[in-house]
């Protein structure tokens, strides 16, 4: 039976416990405040994000992971040893 690796981006908002329990890998999106850019869940956490929103009185913009970010995650995880990779990308809708 083929093994399956699950990869998502950081907007999935799963806890670290769930990610670890189910072996789900994630790639961070970028959170951008004007000229400052942070990798979600790696360089900025949720409490810090909320604090910055309050201090700067602005909402950040986000950007998807680059192709280079994807190329880095595969050798750095056991995804490279998996036979099949399933990528789940959460999408937001404008209202």
């Amino acid at each position: 039976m083929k093994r399956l690796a699950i990869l998502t981006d950081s907007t999935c908002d799963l806890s670290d416990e769930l990610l670890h329990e189910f072996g789900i890998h994630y790639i961070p999106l970028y959170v951008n405040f004007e000229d400052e850019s942070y990798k979600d869940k790696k360089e900025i956490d949720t409490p810090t994000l909320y604090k910055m929103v309050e201090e700067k009185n602005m909402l950040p913009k986000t950007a998807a992971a680059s192709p280079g970010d994807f190329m880095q995650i595969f050798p750095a995880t056991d995804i490279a040893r998996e036979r099949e990779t399933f990528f789940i990308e959460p999408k937001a809708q404008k209202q």
Side-chain angles (χ1 to χ4, degrees):
M1 180 173 206
K2 290 185 179 180
R3 292 175 23 174
L4 179 68
I6 299 174
L7 175 65
T8 188
D9 66 38
S10 58
T11 62
C12 70
D13 284 330
L14 295 174
S15 69
D16 289 340
E17 293 80 18
L18 281 175
L19 292 169
H20 181 71
E21 179 180 347
F22 292 101
I24 300 170
H25 305 277
Y26 76 91
I27 189 160
L29 267 63
Y30 289 90
V31 178
N32 302 310
F33 284 98
E34 295 174 335
D35 60 344
E36 300 170 351
S37 185
Y38 305 92
K39 287 186 177 183
D40 187 29
K41 292 189 174 194
K42 298 280 187 187
E43 300 171 346
I44 190 168
D45 59 14
T46 303
T48 305
L49 173 66
Y50 288 145
K51 183 178 177 184
M52 289 180 75
V53 166
E54 187 175 312
E55 289 173 353
K56 294 178 179 287
N57 197 30
M58 65 179 292
L59 293 174
K61 294 186 178 190
T62 59
S66 71
D69 292 332
F70 279 92
M71 294 302 293
Q72 288 178 352
I73 195 169
F74 280 88
T77 64
D78 64 356
I79 291 176
R81 292 184 294 276
E82 303 294 337
R83 296 183 184 163
E84 303 272 341
T85 301
F86 184 67
F87 179 67
I88 302 170
E89 182 181 17
K91 293 284 187 181
Q93 292 181 340
K94 289 188 177 184
Q95 296 185 17

